[in-house]
Amino acid sequence: MTQPAFHITVHGTPGPQGSKTRNAAGAMYESSAKVKPWREAVKSAALDALAYDETWRPLDEPVRLDVTFTLRRPRHHQGTGRNAGVLKPSAPSHPTGKPDLDKLVRSTQDALKDAGVLLDDSCVTAVFAAKAYPLTGSDALSHPGAVIRVWRLKVPKEAAS
């Protein structure tokens, strides 16, 4: 695996998909208002990337998904007054609160399927996912979003010959 089969950077606030709630009329809706804009951002970025590849076919083979979500750092991690904009020594280095990592992955996989990157999200057999604050790691962006890579786990027939 020297190069991912698909690679994009998505800008926007990652939204978790998971819990659904019923309203008084009994209709189901997502408990997170961020999931729909996030899925649209991922789908749009994927479609933009695929627009230049006329030979692309949705992946229907075993794949590994690597994704690093960059989340906005809470305001209380910063100092105030003359220390405004300075990170407090007590600020955590990694996001450990909500949103849950598995729910972020779920919404991202569904968006990749909707965009035609994956034939079905069931072909994802391995996932490496991380949450980071801006500029705190190799794939952490300077603002909220995600770096997404999809790797083929088997050698294509053309390359094997």
Side-chain angles (χ1 to χ4, degrees), residues 55-67:
T55 64
W56 182 266
R57 298 290 175 262
L59 298 169
D60 64 348
E61 60 195 75
V63 298
R64 183 182 88 196
L65 176 67
D66 292 351
V67 59

Side-chain angles (χ1 to χ4, degrees), residues 58-60 109 113 118-124:
L59 298 169
D60 64 348
Q109 282 184 176
K113 177 185 172 235
L118 306 172
L119 188 62
D120 189 64
D121 54 354
S122 64
C123 67
V124 177

